[in-house]
Amino acid sequence: MGNSNRAIIINIAFVLIGLIYIVRLFVLQVVDPSYKFYAESNTQRQLTQYPSRGLIYDRNGKLLVANQPVYDLMIVPREVTPFDTLAFSQALGLPHDQVRELFAEVRNNLRSRKISSFKPSVFYKQLSAEQYAVLQEQLYLFKGFFAQRRTVRKYEYPLAAHVFGYVAETNENHLKNDAYYSLGDYTGISGIERTYETFLRGEKGARYILVDVHGREKGPMRGGRLDTAAVAGKDVTLTLDIDLQAYGELLMQNKSGSVVAIEPSTGEILSLVSSPGYDPALLVGRERSRNFPALVTDSLSPLLNRAIMSGYPPGSTFKTVMALIAMQEGVLRSNTTHVCNNGFYARGVHVGCHPHRSPLSLVPSLANSCNAYYCYAFRDVLDNPALGSPKEGLDHWSNYLHNFGFGQRLGSDFFNENPGFVPNSEYFNRLYRGSWGSLTVISLSIGQGELLTTPIQMANMTAAIANRGWYHTPHVVKAIENDTIPSRFKERHNTGIDSIHFEPVIEGMEQAILGEIGGTARLARIPGIDICGKTGTAQNPHGEDHSIFVAFAPKDDPKIAIAVYVENAGFGSSWAAPIASLMIEKYLTENIHPSRHWLEQRMLNANFIDAQQE
Amino acid sequence: MHSRNSNTQSIDWVSIVLYLLLVGFGWVNIYAANTEADSPVFWIANKEYVKQLIWIGFSLLTVGILLLIDSKFYVEFAYPSYILGILLLLAVLIVGVEVNGAKSWFQLGAFRFQPVELAKVATALTLARVLSRFQFSFTSWQDLLLLGSVWLLPAIILVLQNDLGSGLVFMAFLLPFYRQGMSPYVLVLGLLAALIFVLTLLLPNYSILLLMAGTFFAILLFHKYRKETLMALGAAAGVYGLMALLMQVNSGAVNHDLALLSGMGLASLGLGFKALLRRLPTVGIYLLLFWSSVGFAYSADYFYENMLGEYQRSRILVLLNLKNDPQGAGYNVNQSKIAIGSGGFSGKGFLQGTQTKFNFVPEQSTDFIFCTVGEEWGFLGTTSVILLFLFLLMRLTYLAERQHSAFSRIYGYGVAAIFFFHLAVNVGMTIGLAPVIGIPLPFFSYGGSSLWGFSILLFIFLKLDTNRGQVLR
């Protein structure tokens, strides 16, 4: 029968199948890498470890912004067993109806497969530590719930909200543009929280766990050897002096407007007040959803950072720069005098002025804020015989303004600076179809007309004057932990005006306050401090004029330059000047001289908001 | 060479070592599949690896006893054990409990037992007894009827239990049949049937018909029946064309099946007539073969569409790569391939498997235990297991061939065939080369009755081997 052959054939069949399987296994296990990849995505789950945001300090090391824990109540629907919902809502501190709605939402999300029955999802966001403390004692009664710790901002002072900005959950744009973010992360939305987000946010850590087929946690992967801890964000020290900031916000209460104080030698912003402001704590965690709409719809726009976003005409404070330009252009000398007959008259153009001695030279013209003097100076700049035309003259003028930081974003730490507006010849060519001259645009000479500047630009101009010709870009960041601040803040910008021309201007600003030859800002006088300032009043077509004052002190080796805007308050001398001088005094001496307490009281009591609304 | 003078020779230690290696490594993998990383306690009574340890002990005890029993007993015991086995299979059909859709388990308290394991032993013994009868012949209808009944009865009962997998195991006995002289054409026909079955799933019936008709004519041409072929081809084509035209005119739709069958019917009539007239037996045989293929194709199609359950249909489709469904019917195989594939060359290490431990692979300690081997021990582990089994299979055929007694030899082949079938199907399904039919991997899969049954199966043969010099029957 040849059956022993058949035994061989049978053995061959065994070996053949064995070989086929071994080859197949070789392909599966050794050649084809895709199964390893599938296996990893099957079993590994990466859990994010959230870092706490960097802390924020003031220039003197006082803690301004810290973090506080909040607790997201998480639910794993599958693990929930029947429980007393009334006790649950009491433990949560929520009305029973709201809890019922939350459960209805979970059911809906389960049905629409937005959430998984096996995986944790957020049931109720951001319970405060106090709420959590109450809940925690009873949490064991409610199977399938647990709390996940997150941190949100905690503000040590109810101040400087516009500087800090706020933090909120990332939106689609953040997710799309930055691979760092994933759904549910927080990010700085405005202010320095936004600008220094990459430093403040820290590095997320990861915990790798193994999960089973239902996504249930089964323990750490490889004993947790791959886990990375979250790295807390870098601390940021600001240039703000929080005491000065507090004083500024106090003085500006019941007023709209802003105060920007800068250290001239460094460009460091000592105080940046935008009024009305708000308590930054209003925009933390759960509070934000409640408060944000109210802040947005408020007719006084408390969310608006007026210090960097509001453009006003600079008014008479601009005369300082006007004089400097004219001197640099060689059309004005400190001893040049001009006649003022209650104003400037030329070929049907009239610019009014208030009564004062006449004629005046440069220093008293600044102290008395004579309009006519600067109309002449401006006309001389534009009609300079050394130049071809008034158009060329205007472009010279507008170049100087750009050198002072006007008409452009200064490049401070705030992303949403308003550039303001400085017209040039092209602009007027378009506006007047080419036919215009120095008289057409004469109101620019006294800081009116098309010119628009922001408070921070005015403070920067004052710092440049205090420095006799140069400035550092104003900024609020002083130091970043283990890192350097942006190098642009170290650069010195020159105004293109020789330092020699500043002396008469500064003397005029000093006289404006001393008032020995007549002065517009005598209320700003501080005993023992040599302060230089210039008043301004910005015409406001919508109501009462805005009160403006710029100042720096001490005259030699200036420590502070300041710009104050009080909206709808009238003359600069009455409100902005006292506020600026009180700020300066507070910063330089830490106390207000007893002889000026009445003035401080008057500023604190002043209320231009209610008056405006009546 | 071994001495053939004494009545009993020493037991085959090679097989016993292979057995112990397989059982031991199997237990290690059950332990790995079943243990939990965060639970250091070993002795938990309801853990599968603890239960399996008890079963291993029980099996060793049983095989010890089996070795003490006289070989002649197994010969005599064959028929009674078969009757007992059939009765148990029938009983389980009535009083059994259903597990995974198959009503094939006895439940006595916490203890569960699958009588099919005993039925395999009994059937192997009985088939050996039948085949070793004096003057048994594969050409005798009576012998074939007896053999076929003994062979298929338990398989049919198992299919009735909805335990298709265990029923298919009985296909394994074709191997000892072949060894004993069954025509290899039976195997060829089996393969042909399988091919036609697959084609019915792939193609519409009439195209298979066309294919078979084409093959039929090609074979006739090959045998130089040129004139007959052309005539039959012409007749078939003419009838087909005529009928298609009539149907098109009548109802606007052509029933290609009917038209083709009619055409082939007329051609076959002509050919058959000619074959009778001219005495051409080859043509007759091919005609028979052709029409039985046609009959098989249509009944296979009917069987597939109307007799199989939805899940069985989709499993077949997935296996044949006709359907890609990783979350549905293909889920098991897909996860199992991921587990094995992720093991790499040398594996993730003992207890380091993640796919198998965290329930991604279903039935991870029973039918899919091979995944744990693949994941934790890698290509080295899987190859070792396959090689161990190959050694055992070749050792068994070697042992079988040295038996003086036909009974012992046939039984030995039966044992080897059962192990081979289980190995091929179980490992094959985990790597996507065989359909997912739930049968265990011998010695590896968790489960008391299967370990016990496989041990009995093997050790009866090893006992018979000690009397290899004797003619037991």
Side-chain angles (χ1 to χ4, degrees):
Chain A
M1 259 210 248
N3 280 350
S4 55
N5 282 341
R6 293 196 167 187
I8 292 167
I9 290 171
I10 287 169
N11 273 301
I12 289 173
F14 290 166
V15 172
L16 203 64
I17 292 284
L19 277 180
I20 290 172
Y21 282 14
I22 287 171
V23 168
R24 169 73 168 182
L25 283 164
F26 188 75
V27 170
L28 271 183
Q29 300 189 282
V30 183
V31 179
D32 190 342
S34 60
Y35 293 101
K36 281 121 205 135
F37 172 74
Y38 293 139
E40 282 181 9
S41 54
N42 242 351
T43 54
Q44 295 173 13
R45 184 144 305 146
Q46 189 186 337
L47 295 184
T48 307
Q49 304 283 85
Y50 293 102
S52 54
R53 275 181 94 77
L55 306 179
I56 300 174
Y57 295 95
D58 91 336
R59 66 187 292 113
N60 300 316
K62 288 185 184 163
L63 182 63
L64 304 181
V65 184
N67 298 301
Q68 56 184 329
V70 291
Y71 297 86
D72 287 350
L73 185 62
M74 311 296 284
I75 183 173
V76 183
R78 209 187 105 101
E79 291 170 10
V80 174
T81 53
F83 59 91
D84 182 350
T85 53
L86 200 61
F88 182 72
S89 42
Q90 276 164 3
L92 252 179
L94 293 177
H96 195 218
D97 287 342
Q98 196 186 340
V99 170
R100 250 191 254 154
E101 278 168 31
L102 287 169
F103 277 110
E105 204 183 310
V106 169
R107 276 192 292 275
N108 279 334
N109 287 342
L110 276 175
R111 218 168 293 133
S112 59
R113 304 201 170 219
K114 272 188 208 150
I115 63 172
S116 155
S117 183
F118 293 97
K119 293 175 199 164
S121 39
V122 177
F123 180 76
Y124 189 76
K125 261 185 211 171
Q126 297 177 338
L127 286 163
S128 69
E130 293 78 24
Q131 285 173 300
Y132 176 62
V134 175
L135 175 67
Q136 191 189 20
E137 289 170 15
Q138 299 178 47
L139 203 55
Y140 74 96
L141 292 172
F142 313 115
K143 297 271 176 296
F145 289 94
F146 69 95
Q148 187 183 330
R149 191 175 182 275
R150 296 287 297 268
T151 58
V152 294
R153 280 311 203 187
K154 178 170 190 282
Y155 296 95
E156 304 293 329
Y157 299 86
L159 302 170
H162 296 105
V163 175
F164 301 144
Y166 66 96
V167 175
E169 244 173 62
T170 46
N171 61 29
E172 277 172 34
N173 275 333
H174 295 117
L175 297 179
K176 205 166 60 193
N177 296 331
D178 189 340
Y180 174 90
Y181 298 111
S182 40
L183 206 65
D185 283 358
Y186 297 138
T187 186
I189 301 294
S190 65
I192 60 154
E193 295 276 21
R194 172 174 167 148
T195 308
Y196 298 106
E197 165 70 10
T198 49
F199 301 99
L200 288 168
R201 67 188 178 190
E203 283 166 44
K204 283 188 276 190
R207 205 154 67 80
Y208 293 92
I209 55 161
L210 296 171
V211 292
D212 72 2
V213 67
H214 297 304
R216 285 179 297 214
E217 190 171 339
K218 286 289 177 186
M221 192 168 82
R222 296 208 211 150
R225 263 170 285 158
L226 296 176
D227 295 0
T228 51
V231 179
K234 291 178 176 172
D235 296 347
V236 169
T237 302
L238 298 185
T239 60
L240 289 190
D241 178 321
I242 197 63
D243 297 329
L244 187 65
Q245 178 76 19
Y247 192 57
E249 294 197 21
L250 191 66
L251 289 171
M252 288 299 286
Q253 68 184 4
N254 296 323
K255 303 163 191 72
S256 339
S258 65
V259 177
V260 180
I262 295 176
E263 184 176 74
S265 60
T266 57
E268 291 176 358
I269 296 174
L270 301 170
S271 160
L272 188 136
V273 178
S274 174
S275 189
Y278 59 93
D279 182 349
L282 291 177
L283 296 185
V284 171
R286 289 202 83 80
E287 299 293 309
R288 185 175 53 252
S289 51
R290 198 163 50 226
N291 295 321
F292 197 74
L295 289 171
V296 166
T297 51
D298 193 321
S299 63
L300 293 171
S301 315
L303 288 175
L304 178 72
N305 188 350
R306 289 170 164 79
I308 58 164
M309 293 176 79
S310 287
Y312 311 86
S316 299
T317 55
F318 181 69
K319 288 170 183 165
T320 51
V321 172
M322 193 58 244
L324 289 166
I325 295 169
M327 283 191 281
Q328 184 68 28
E329 285 289 280
V331 297
L332 184 73
R333 262 189 269 269
S334 60
N335 56 7
T336 308
T337 57
H338 286 293
V339 176
C340 174
N341 270 326
N342 283 334
F344 170 80
Y345 296 88
R347 278 189 262 156
V349 175
H350 170 59
V351 177
C353 193
H354 55 92
H356 57 77
R357 282 193 302 125
S358 173
L360 293 175
S361 66
L362 175 55
V363 172
S365 80
L366 259 182
N368 285 294
S369 197
C370 171
N371 286 344
Y373 195 91
Y374 294 92
C375 291
Y376 288 116
F378 182 66
R379 202 175 68 172
D380 290 345
V381 169
L382 264 61
D383 297 339
N384 188 351
L387 302 173
S389 69
K391 296 172 177 66
E392 210 175 313
L394 186 80
D395 286 339
H396 270 236
W397 175 85
S398 94
N399 268 341
Y400 284 112
L401 261 58
H402 280 286
N403 288 345
F404 272 93
F406 294 119
Q408 64 202 1
R409 290 189 181 85
L410 282 171
S412 70
D413 333 57
F414 298 97
F415 73 98
N416 50 351
E417 265 186 71
N418 180 351
F421 185 67
V422 173
N424 56 14
S425 60
E426 204 178 303
Y427 172 82
F428 286 121
N429 283 341
R430 235 180 301 123
L431 192 65
Y432 298 113
R433 304 205 176 138
S435 83
W436 57 278
S438 55
L439 292 177
T440 326
V441 295
I442 196 73
S443 56
L444 290 174
S445 63
I446 53 168
Q448 302 287 354
E450 287 80 359
L451 202 55
L452 288 177
T453 61
T454 60
I456 195 173
Q457 285 173 336
M458 293 309 288
N460 182 54
M461 173 197 83
T462 314
I465 294 170
N467 287 337
R468 279 82 172 164
W470 55 270
Y471 68 91
H472 285 297
T473 301
H475 54 281
V476 290
V477 66
K478 191 169 173 64
I480 299 171
E481 188 187 8
N482 297 329
D483 219 312
T484 52
I485 65 167
S487 61
R488 66 174 193 276
F489 297 146
K490 306 276 187 199
E491 281 168 30
R492 207 165 127 151
H493 300 277
N494 278 311
T495 56
I497 311 270
D498 299 337
S499 62
I500 187 170
H501 298 313
F502 284 88
E503 291 315 324
V505 168
I506 289 170
E507 203 187 329
M509 291 171 78
E510 188 183 17
Q511 286 302 329
I513 286 162
L514 289 177
E516 286 160 0
I517 45 170
T520 51
R522 274 161 290 185
L523 277 177
R525 224 177 301 172
I526 310 169
I529 296 174
D530 204 357
I531 171 173
C532 307
K534 180 73 195 81
T535 54
T537 304
Q539 285 171 4
N540 174 17
H542 307 295
E544 196 72 33
D545 291 345
H546 303 319
S547 175
I548 313 175
F549 191 69
V550 300
F552 66 88
K555 182 183 169 189
D556 302 313
D557 190 19
K559 296 283 182 234
I560 180 171
I562 193 167
V564 176
Y565 276 71
V566 186
E567 290 179 8
N568 314 117
F571 289 119
S573 50
S574 331
W575 302 103
I579 288 174
S581 74
L582 286 166
M583 291 282 287
I584 291 173
E585 186 178 9
K586 181 83 176 177
Y587 181 67
L588 294 179
T589 66
E590 290 180 13
N591 286 305
I592 302 302
H593 193 272
S595 70
R596 283 159 54 84
H597 281 170
W598 69 272
L599 187 66
E600 182 182 35
Q601 218 48 61
R602 193 175 150 200
M603 291 304 124
L604 292 177
N605 292 338
N607 183 336
F608 294 107
I609 285 179
D610 293 346
Q612 180 72 6
Q613 297 202 318
E614 270 159 18
Chain B
M1 283 304 288
H2 293 272
S3 153
R4 289 181 184 176
N5 294 329
S6 70
N7 273 348
T8 42
Q9 279 92 354
S10 69
I11 191 152
D12 183 54
W13 283 105
V14 175
S15 301
I16 290 181
V17 167
L18 287 170
Y19 167 79
L20 291 175
L21 279 175
L22 287 169
V23 170
F25 193 41
W27 182 83
V28 164
N29 284 292
I30 291 171
Y31 176 77
N34 208 232
T35 190
E36 275 171 31
D38 47 359
S39 157
V41 183
F42 174 80
W43 194 261
I44 303 170
N46 64 356
K47 284 285 181 196
E48 288 176 351
Y49 57 83
V50 174
K51 290 194 207 165
Q52 187 73 359
L53 211 54
I54 296 169
W55 277 107
I56 291 172
F58 185 59
S59 299
L60 291 177
L61 192 72
T62 309
V63 300
I65 294 167
L66 289 178
L67 291 177
L68 296 177
I69 296 172
D70 191 294
S71 288
K72 284 205 174 71
F73 171 79
Y74 298 115
V75 182
E76 297 308 323
F77 179 63
Y79 288 131
S81 73
Y82 184 77
I83 291 165
L84 185 72
I86 294 294
L87 286 177
L88 283 175
L89 285 183
L90 287 172
V92 84
L93 204 52
I94 299 158
V95 299
V97 292
E98 222 177 270
V99 176
N100 291 339
K103 198 173 180 183
S104 57
W105 296 81
F106 283 120
Q107 177 105 37
L108 290 167
F111 178 81
R112 245 178 7 195
F113 179 73
Q114 221 177 357
V116 64
E117 305 300 342
L118 268 188
K120 279 182 213 164
V121 180
T123 309
L125 285 170
T126 309
L127 286 173
R129 185 87 202 254
V130 171
L131 280 167
S132 62
R133 273 152 61 116
F134 182 61
Q135 282 191 330
F136 175 91
S137 163
F138 276 100
T139 52
S140 152
W141 287 108
Q142 283 162 337
D143 285 353
L144 282 181
L145 191 67
L146 179 64
L147 185 72
S149 318
V150 170
W151 177 38
L152 293 177
L153 183 61
I156 288 165
I157 299 174
L158 284 165
V159 172
L160 290 178
Q161 288 174 3
N162 210 6
D163 191 356
L164 187 67
S166 300
L168 285 173
V169 171
F170 286 76
M171 297 285 290
F173 289 115
L174 282 169
L175 206 74
F177 295 172
Y178 169 72
R179 168 62 186 81
Q180 285 309 103
M182 183 188 71
S183 163
Y185 292 115
V186 178
L187 297 176
V188 173
L189 278 179
L191 282 177
L192 187 67
L195 184 70
I196 291 171
F197 180 71
V198 171
L199 283 178
T200 57
L201 304 179
L202 281 172
L203 305 168
N205 279 342
Y206 63 84
S207 54
I208 297 170
L209 204 57
L210 207 62
L211 204 70
M212 290 192 294
T215 317
F216 174 65
F217 288 128
I219 290 172
L220 285 189
L221 274 179
F222 178 74
H223 284 275
K224 307 252 154 89
Y225 298 110
R226 208 162 289 151
K227 210 169 109 195
E228 290 81 359
T229 310
L230 287 179
M231 275 172 60
L233 196 59
V239 172
Y240 169 78
L242 199 66
M243 284 197 66
L245 191 70
L246 275 175
M247 281 189 277
Q248 181 68 41
V249 171
N250 247 358
S251 57
V254 179
N255 185 338
H256 292 284
D257 288 79
L258 191 61
L260 264 175
L261 279 176
S262 312
M264 283 308 290
L266 189 73
S268 301
L269 274 179
L271 276 174
F273 195 63
K274 192 127 191 185
L276 274 178
L277 221 63
R278 295 256 220 96
R279 307 201 172 214
L280 304 170
T282 338
V283 176
I285 286 171
Y286 284 123
L287 264 178
L288 203 65
L289 200 62
F290 171 73
W291 282 103
S292 26
S293 302
V294 171
F296 179 75
Y298 278 91
S299 40
D301 190 53
Y302 180 82
F303 172 74
Y304 176 77
E305 293 295 343
N306 300 301
M307 310 255 295
L308 285 182
E310 180 59 43
Y311 85 100
Q312 284 162 321
R313 274 205 294 271
S314 57
R315 277 186 173 187
I316 290 172
L317 289 183
V318 168
L319 174 80
L320 296 173
N321 253 336
L322 300 178
K323 189 172 159 190
N324 193 8
D325 182 15
Q327 287 304 314
Y331 176 83
N332 294 3
V333 176
N334 190 44
Q335 291 295 339
S336 138
K337 286 200 299 198
I338 289 173
I340 294 175
S342 69
F345 182 73
S346 54
K348 297 176 185 170
F350 180 50
L351 298 185
Q352 300 304 308
T354 51
Q355 302 298 303
T356 43
K357 220 184 283 2
F358 301 144
N359 299 320
F360 286 99
V361 181
E363 309 285 336
Q364 53 201 349
S365 55
T366 54
D367 292 351
F368 284 89
I369 189 69
F370 195 68
C371 296
T372 306
V373 181
E375 193 184 9
E376 298 198 345
W377 303 93
F379 178 67
L380 292 179
T382 51
T383 309
S384 304
V385 169
I386 287 175
L387 289 179
L388 278 177
F389 270 109
L390 277 185
F391 287 144
L392 181 66
L393 290 174
M394 293 169 81
R395 183 73 190 171
L396 289 177
T397 55
Y398 166 75
L399 295 184
E401 286 297 330
R402 75 181 183 188
Q403 304 300 316
H404 281 199
S405 159
F407 174 84
S408 302
R409 182 175 64 243
I410 296 162
Y411 179 76
Y413 269 102
V415 172
I418 288 172
F419 288 166
F420 175 63
F421 189 88
H422 275 270
L423 173 76
V425 171
N426 182 285
V427 173
M429 78 181 180
T430 63
I431 57 178
L433 289 181
V436 179
I437 50 178
I439 59 172
L441 183 61
F443 313 127
F444 267 73
S445 292
Y446 165 74
S449 30
S450 77
L451 175 66
W452 195 57
F454 287 125
S455 303
I456 293 173
L457 205 58
L458 176 64
F459 277 85
I460 288 179
F461 179 60
L462 293 184
K463 173 64 189 177
L464 293 175
D465 180 58
T466 59
N467 296 109
R468 58 183 169 269
Q470 274 178 302
V471 177
L472 295 169
R473 244 188 80 87

